[in-house]
């Protein structure tokens, strides 16, 4: 857990006094990623660098797992905090193995142990240890170097990581890949991470909590969804963008929004059975699954009323299928591209699990606004 | 032709003078490395000190060598060393300071700030940063300074023959006083060749010592 208490940095410059970080207070629970977000010069990087005292704080406290870091020796503090910078900063005079094992070596691990650790870490980011251990940084691509930069910070298994725009210098395609890899690693590692970014999309993707900074002040500290749904002022609203509700699509999974499996029909069922199900449940359509339970088509109420016979002889094909762990953004995209307002949802095995509709998505996104409005209206009525 | 004949018959003399020349320059530049590199590193800590030190080293290098020898005679005479080996070594030691200090200072200062920040952030002490990162990366540029010092001072050392320090300058000075172009040319040729060979030899060392991952 990381706690910042009234953390402040004041720089004396020739042009006068500049408050780069002004009484920053926040708490990041163990195992969470907190993204520090804001325009350049907003104080996010200064705040990050005060944690490992690359920039010494003017006042205030940094507590890591309840321990006031100002009581610790700077060198050992830094060895216990993973640090990743945008420029990567691999030492060109050292091999990849040497780069990764720097902190373990500084901590006095024996050679066998730190080499084994380097191999383990390389394997974790899908870089073949045999190939890469003895290479030099300049022989690696940018993306490969950045992966090494991240695992170098993880080498001595520090509980806390500081990442200063770690994926900023990578092309957009590789950035997505590395972000995904990193999130997968984080699921296992459960580090407490402070992550500086200026990219709202990256923040929404990576963060458990987002801290928005402006002019040295912490403006809003919230979950990505709360931040996008309820920006606390004009600055945050402008910063997150006019399409902020669309950005929230990425934060919800199909499983959060779908209506759980309504009874499906089989190809051998009579259309009358399908109609009965629709009438009983007030559906306009019902999904048809095969013998294994995989969706293969749909029967609408019009169809069931107009035709006679088996469902398997009279059904509409499926335009698109959603997976329960897809995010809503890909569902919305599929709905638009396939011109449909409804999709059956399947699990990893392809088994029918539920349905998702455009109405369901908009209802889900709108819920947070309605509850807020209801509260506000309630207050007004109370005052009257 | 006469010169070639002279070189052929005085081969062993030329060879021993060359060895003497090499030993004088090596001792002087060796001492200059031992002083110049630490000074160059030390002044990276403070810009105004660096300016003063580099300025002083630049002034020293502008003093003509013959004048420097002259200046040292009365001082070193106090220890009975007014002419000969000691003033020659001191002069070359002083002349070598500028290229060595300046290159060391520039090389350490030019280490990518991102690497320095990474080194700090990973928890290296200042000494570890120097030993593991800054000095290895600075080696090509420091070595370039040493090469400049050696080549320049092989020439300066030739003049030291006038204060009885020995070396290949002996041939040149004798050639002049005895109006003997053979000795003069042989000496000058030997000095030039020595400078070229020394430069290449040091370039080879520089490549060997430069860390593999760093482009020279």
């Amino acid at each position: 857990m990381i706690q910042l208490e009234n953390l402040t940095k004041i720089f004396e410059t020739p042009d006068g006094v500049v408050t780069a970080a002004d009484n920053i207070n926040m708490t990041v629970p163990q195992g969470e990623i907190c993204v520090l977000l804001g325009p350049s010069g907003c104080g996010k990087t200064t705040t990050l660098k005060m944690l490992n005292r690359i920039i010494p704080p003017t006042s205030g406290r940094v507590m890591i797992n309840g321990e006031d870091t100002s009581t610790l020796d700077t060198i050992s503090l830094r060895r216990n905090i993973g640090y990743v910078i945008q420029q990567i900063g691999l030492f060109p005079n050292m091999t990849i193995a040497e780069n990764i094992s720097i902190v373990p070596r500084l901590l006095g691990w024996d050679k066998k142990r730190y080499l084994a650790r380097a191999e383990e870490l390389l394997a974790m980011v899908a870089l073949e240890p045999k190939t890469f251990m003895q290479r030099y940084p300049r022989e690696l691509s940018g993306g490969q170097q950045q992966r090494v930069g991240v695992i170098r910070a993880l080498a001595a298994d520090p509980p806390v990581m500081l990442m200063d725009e770690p994926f900023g210098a990578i092309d957009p395609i590789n950035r997505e890949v590395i972000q995904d890899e990193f999130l997968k690693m984080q699921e296992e590692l459960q580090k407490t991470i402070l992550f500086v970014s200026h990219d709202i999309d990256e923040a929404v993707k990576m963060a458990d909590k987002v801290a928005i900074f402006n002019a040295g002040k912490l403006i809003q500290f919230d979950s990505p969804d709360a931040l996008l749904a309820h920006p606390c002022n004009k600055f945050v609203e402008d910063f997150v963008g006019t399409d902020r509700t669309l950005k929230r699509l990425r934060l919800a999974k199909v499983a959060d929004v779908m209506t759980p499996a309504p009874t499906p029909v089989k190809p051998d069922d009579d259309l009358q059975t399908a109609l009965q199900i629709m009438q009983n449940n007030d559906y306009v359509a019902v999904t048809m699954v095969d013998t294994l339970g995989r969706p293969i088509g749909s029967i609408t109420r019009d169809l069931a009323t107009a035709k006679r016979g088996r469902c398997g002889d009279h059904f509409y094909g499926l335009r698109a299928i959603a997976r329960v762990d897809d995010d809503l953004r890909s569902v919305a995209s599929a709905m638009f591209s396939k011109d449909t307002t409804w999709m059956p949802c399947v699990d990893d095995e392809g088994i029918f699990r539920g349905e998702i509709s455009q109405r369901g998505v908009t209802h889900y996104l709108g819920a947070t606004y309605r509850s807020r409005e209801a509260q506000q209206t309630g207050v007004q009525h109370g005052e009257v | 032709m006469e010169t070639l004949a002279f070189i052929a018959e005085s081969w062993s003399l030329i060879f021993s003078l060359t060895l003497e020349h090499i030993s004088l320059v090596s001792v002087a530049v060796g001492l200059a490395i031992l002083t110049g590199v630490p000074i160059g590193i030390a002044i990276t800590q403070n810009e105004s000190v660096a300016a003063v030190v580099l300025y002083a080293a630049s002034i020293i290098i502008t003093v003509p060598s013959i004048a420097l020898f002259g200046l040292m005679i009365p001082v070193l005479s106090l220890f009975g060393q007014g002419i000969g080996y000691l003033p020659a070594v001191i002069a070359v030691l002083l002349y070598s300071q500028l290229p060595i200090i300046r290159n060391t200072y520039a090389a350490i200062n030019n280490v990518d700030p991102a690497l320095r920040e990474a080194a700090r952030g990973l928890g290296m002490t200042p000494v570890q940063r120097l030993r593991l990162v800054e000095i290895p990366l600075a080696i090509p540029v420091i070595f370039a300074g040493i090469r400049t010092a050696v080549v320049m001072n092989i020439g300066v050392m030739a003049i030291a023959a006038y204060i009885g320090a020995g070396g290949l300058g002996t041939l040149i000075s004798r050639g002049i006083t005895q109006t003997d172009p053979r000795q003069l040319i042989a000496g000058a040729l030997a000095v030039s060749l020595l400078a070229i060979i020394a430069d290449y030899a040091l370039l080879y060392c520089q490549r060997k010592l430069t860390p593999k991952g760093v482009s020279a």
Side-chain angles (χ1 to χ4, degrees):
Chain A
M1 186 169 71
I2 301 172
Q3 289 160 285
L4 309 186
E5 290 176 7
N6 298 319
L7 198 60
T8 300
K9 179 68 194 181
I10 296 169
F11 288 110
E12 309 266 352
T13 68
D15 304 329
V17 174
V18 175
T19 307
D22 190 356
N23 279 292
I24 306 298
N25 285 289
M26 61 164 127
T27 300
V28 185
Q30 151 67 27
E32 290 201 351
I33 299 180
C34 171
V35 173
L36 311 183
L37 188 66
S40 48
C42 68
K44 56 189 194 296
T45 303
T46 305
T47 302
L48 182 89
K49 289 183 179 178
M50 282 194 281
L51 269 86
N52 62 356
R53 280 191 242 144
I54 292 288
I55 296 176
T58 307
S59 64
R61 286 203 301 179
V62 177
M63 315 275 281
I64 293 181
N65 294 332
E67 196 172 12
D68 184 350
T69 59
S70 64
T71 62
L72 301 171
D73 151 61
T74 303
I75 297 295
S76 47
L77 171 73
R78 288 178 184 157
R79 289 177 188 171
N80 281 302
I81 296 179
Y83 191 45
V84 186
I85 57 176
Q86 182 182 1
Q87 307 90 328
I88 310 175
L90 296 183
F91 302 119
N93 55 316
M94 299 184 195
T95 61
I96 298 307
E98 287 167 339
N99 264 291
I100 298 172
S101 55
I102 286 170
V103 182
R105 282 186 287 151
L106 293 175
L107 291 171
W109 291 18
D110 68 59
K111 189 170 180 177
K112 219 171 130 188
R113 182 168 167 218
Y114 69 66
L115 288 181
R117 177 67 176 155
E119 285 185 16
E120 178 193 350
L121 287 162
L122 278 170
M124 204 158 81
V125 291
L127 295 174
E128 171 55 43
K130 278 200 189 74
T131 319
F132 285 96
M133 290 281 276
Q134 293 314 314
R135 292 219 178 145
Y136 284 92
R138 66 168 176 186
E139 299 170 299
L140 271 60
S141 72
Q144 290 169 338
Q145 289 189 25
Q146 194 50 273
R147 288 177 175 86
V148 175
V150 171
I151 58 177
R152 178 175 70 176
L154 286 167
D157 205 16
V160 168
M161 299 256 289
L162 306 178
M163 307 178 81
D164 185 4
E165 304 206 22
F167 310 132
I170 302 172
D171 64 271
I173 295 172
N174 264 310
R175 192 185 311 151
E176 288 276 335
V177 174
I178 293 187
Q179 285 167 344
D180 292 337
E181 275 180 13
F182 184 76
L183 285 174
K184 200 176 280 178
M185 257 162 60
Q186 165 65 1
E187 259 174 43
E188 274 181 41
L189 298 173
Q190 291 292 309
K191 302 292 181 195
T192 309
I193 298 171
L194 240 57
F195 185 116
V196 164
S197 177
H198 61 260
D199 177 359
I200 175 75
D201 291 311
E202 182 171 62
V204 167
K205 179 171 183 179
M206 308 294 289
D208 296 300
K209 291 278 178 0
V210 179
I212 291 219
F213 283 75
N214 188 33
K217 289 197 163 62
L218 175 59
I219 307 293
Q220 187 170 4
F221 184 74
D222 238 324
S223 71
D225 193 60
L227 184 86
L228 291 170
H230 306 293
C232 72
N233 66 13
K234 185 81 171 62
F235 168 78
V236 179
E237 196 177 328
D238 289 344
F239 193 83
V240 298
T242 47
D243 62 340
R244 57 195 166 86
T245 300
L246 289 182
K247 291 190 168 97
R248 292 179 55 217
L249 288 172
R250 184 172 221 167
L251 292 166
K253 300 264 184 254
V254 167
D256 303 330
V257 180
M258 71 179 188
T259 38
T263 323
V265 293
K266 300 255 168 58
D268 286 337
D269 290 339
D270 193 88
L271 279 173
Q272 286 306 310
T273 316
L275 188 61
Q276 200 62 50
I277 292 173
M278 285 185 266
Q279 280 168 349
N280 290 348
N281 295 290
D282 198 21
Y283 296 155
V284 291
V286 64
T287 304
M288 184 174 79
V289 298
D290 64 11
T291 47
L292 293 170
R294 295 176 301 203
I296 47 175
S298 69
I299 313 282
T300 63
R301 202 186 272 225
D302 293 348
L303 189 71
T305 318
K307 305 275 183 183
R308 291 282 174 275
R310 291 184 327 123
C311 292
D313 299 326
H314 307 278
F315 67 94
Y316 293 114
L318 295 171
R319 294 190 183 168
I321 296 178
R323 293 157 53 93
V324 288
D325 53 359
D326 282 345
D327 64 32
L328 293 189
R329 195 163 78 142
S330 54
V331 169
S333 174
M335 282 180 175
F336 289 136
S337 63
K338 305 283 198 251
D339 186 19
T340 179
T341 57
W342 168 94
M343 288 158 82
C345 311
V346 299
D347 61 16
D348 286 343
E349 275 79 47
I351 309 298
F352 179 63
R353 286 289 173 237
E355 292 171 350
I356 189 166
S357 66
Q358 205 171 60
R359 182 80 195 99
V361 172
T362 50
H363 189 82
Y364 177 85
L365 292 176
T368 174
Y369 304 112
R370 282 193 302 279
S371 67
R372 183 68 61 110
E373 274 162 21
Q375 274 172 16
Q376 283 167 353
T377 328
V379 170
Q380 277 164 5
H381 282 291
E383 279 167 358
V384 170
Chain B
M1 263 338 267
E2 280 177 39
T3 310
L4 285 181
F6 171 80
I7 291 173
E9 75 194 34
S10 338
W11 181 245
S12 68
L13 172 70
I14 295 173
F15 185 71
S16 67
L17 288 175
T18 305
L19 283 185
E20 201 171 39
H21 206 97
I22 292 172
S23 92
L24 279 163
V25 174
S26 309
V27 169
V29 176
L31 290 172
I33 294 170
L34 292 181
T35 52
V37 172
I39 292 174
I41 292 171
I43 60 176
T44 56
Q45 300 303 311
N46 186 319
E47 266 180 51
S48 46
V49 173
V52 171
V53 169
L54 290 174
Y55 195 65
S58 308
I59 289 178
I60 291 174
I61 217 166
T62 60
V63 178
S65 51
I66 203 86
L68 190 59
F69 292 134
L71 284 171
M72 280 191 288
I73 291 172
V75 181
L76 294 177
S77 294
L78 299 173
F79 314 100
Q81 300 278 348
I83 56 166
Y85 186 83
L86 188 64
V89 167
I90 290 178
V92 169
L93 172 70
L94 289 174
Y95 283 139
S96 301
Q97 294 302 310
L98 181 67
I100 293 176
I101 293 178
R102 190 179 51 198
N103 279 36
T104 304
Y105 172 74
I108 299 283
N109 250 3
N110 284 344
V111 167
D112 182 353
L115 294 180
R116 198 169 284 136
E117 189 181 323
R120 288 175 67 202
L122 291 168
M124 289 190 194
T125 62
V127 173
Q128 286 165 337
R129 290 207 303 270
L130 269 176
R131 187 166 59 82
L132 298 171
V133 181
E134 293 171 352
I135 292 178
L137 294 177
I139 282 212
V141 178
I142 295 178
F143 237 88
I146 294 172
R147 277 165 55 206
T148 309
V150 166
V151 171
M152 183 178 82
N153 285 305
I154 284 175
V156 169
M157 198 53 95
I159 298 168
Y162 279 104
I163 55 163
L168 288 166
T170 315
L171 282 175
I172 299 172
S173 65
R174 260 196 241 149
I176 293 170
T177 48
Q178 298 170 8
T179 359
D180 180 358
R182 297 173 314 165
Q183 289 188 56
L184 180 63
I185 294 171
L189 264 178
V191 168
S192 313
L193 266 177
L194 181 60
I196 292 167
I197 292 167
D199 193 37
Y200 275 100
L202 287 168
L203 183 62
Y204 177 79
C205 296
Q206 175 183 332
R207 295 209 171 124
K208 282 282 154 196
L209 285 172
T210 300
K212 258 196 210 156
V214 182
S215 43

